[in-house]
Amino acid sequence: TSERAHAVAHQALAAARRSGDPEGEAAAARALRWALVGPFGMEEKRRGSRLLADALGPRSHPADWWNAHSWMLLDALEAGDRPLIDAELQSCRRLADRLREPFLSALTVAWQTAVALLEGGYDEAERMIARGLEAADGASVNAGGLYAQLGYLAWDRGEHAALVELVRGVAEAVPDRSALYRALLAGIYAEQGRSDEANFELDRLAVDGFAHVPRDGDWLTALAWCATACARLDRAE
């Protein structure tokens, strides 16, 4: 569970500090920040990101610095801190350009796309998603996140019919995130008035009070889509 991962990461961090191992401390700090992905408080996440940045030194690899800045960018996005979003995005772009590593380049494009989507820059977001998919394909990178962004773009544009096929395909291609995509399908079906299909997806997710929806980085988004479906279906219970 994420709570167990959180506790073990703290133990690893304490052990690294006791041994005076800076590389071990940085590795433990990375593990701790990963463990905070999910339903943890915003301030706790920001402290974890700052801890990771503080554990790095001038001799740390640029990819490690990119990782730290990407976490701080995520924190800034959650907080809606636009000046910090711009600063961290610039740091990620600078490091990605320096590294010329396709995986990090694709992820940096995904962050830029997220900002464009949040601000309603749909045409710009569409262009960047195409760039990101091209980079991901060349690097054999799992592009599930970019396809999810295509889904949000289609939703905001009201292109629900095309969105159904896209989400079904992603759910099959990325089975470890199937709860998220089933929740999205429930929301789309409900929006289209396809109540039977929406209820089917929602009932699968709602077993034991949604206890089987993984409490990970997708948890909040999945539950938000379930809430969207419930509102459309008038299923307050």
Side-chain angles (χ1 to χ4, degrees), residues 71-107:
W71 284 120
M72 289 188 283
L73 173 58
L74 180 58
D75 297 336
L77 284 165
E78 286 197 23
D81 186 336
R82 186 51 200 262
L84 187 57
I85 290 170
D86 290 339
E88 296 300 344
L89 191 54
Q90 183 177 2
S91 294
C92 288
R93 282 199 303 262
R94 175 176 50 81
L95 288 163
D97 290 344
R98 176 181 172 187
L99 288 160
R100 298 182 181 277
E101 207 286 321
F103 176 68
L104 298 185
S105 295
L107 287 177

Side-chain angles (χ1 to χ4, degrees), residues 10-232:
H10 269 296
Q11 293 172 13
L13 185 61
R17 285 173 170 170
R18 286 195 301 269
S19 67
D21 176 11
E23 290 187 4
E25 183 174 343
R30 280 194 296 273
L32 176 60
R33 188 57 188 84
W34 269 111
L36 288 169
V37 173
F40 290 91
M42 187 183 299
E43 285 307 313
E44 189 171 9
K45 293 176 184 178
R46 295 181 82 163
R47 284 195 299 272
S49 300
R50 190 70 255 169
L51 187 68
L52 173 55
D54 291 344
L56 299 177
R59 298 179 64 183
S60 295
H61 195 279
D64 293 329
W65 280 108
W66 183 95
N67 182 259
H69 282 292
S70 72
W71 284 120
M72 289 188 283
L73 173 58
L74 180 58
D75 297 336
L77 284 165
E78 286 197 23
D81 186 336
R82 186 51 200 262
L84 187 57
I85 290 170
D86 290 339
E88 296 300 344
L89 191 54
Q90 183 177 2
S91 294
C92 288
R93 282 199 303 262
R94 175 176 50 81
L95 288 163
D97 290 344
R98 176 181 172 187
L99 288 160
R100 298 182 181 277
E101 207 286 321
F103 176 68
L104 298 185
S105 295
L107 287 177
T108 301
V109 171
W111 287 129
Q112 293 175 263
T113 304
V115 175
L117 285 170
L118 287 169
E119 295 185 334
Y122 300 141
D123 291 342
E124 181 185 2
E126 188 171 26
R127 287 192 296 271
M128 286 192 291
I129 290 169
R131 281 177 49 206
L133 288 171
E134 183 179 354
D137 183 59
S140 299
V141 173
N142 185 326
L146 288 163
Y147 282 115
Q149 289 181 322
L150 267 181
Y152 289 122
L153 179 62
W155 175 274
D156 286 345
R157 285 175 163 172
E159 299 168 352
H160 299 134
L163 184 53
V164 168
E165 297 307 315
L166 172 66
V167 175
R168 279 178 179 162
V170 177
E172 293 175 4
V174 193
D176 57 326
R177 302 182 72 182
S178 63
L180 169 61
Y181 297 118
R182 290 206 312 273
L184 179 51
L185 274 176
I188 298 166
Y189 287 143
E191 184 73 17
Q192 292 180 308
R194 297 163 64 174
S195 299
D196 289 345
E197 291 160 293
N199 281 313
F200 174 77
E201 295 294 348
L202 190 59
D203 288 341
R204 292 172 66 192
L205 292 160
V207 173
D208 296 330
F210 298 93
H212 303 290
V213 177
R215 291 178 66 84
D216 56 17
D218 289 336
W219 180 82
L220 184 59
T221 306
L223 268 292
W225 281 112
C226 287
T228 297
C230 287
R232 296 287 190 277

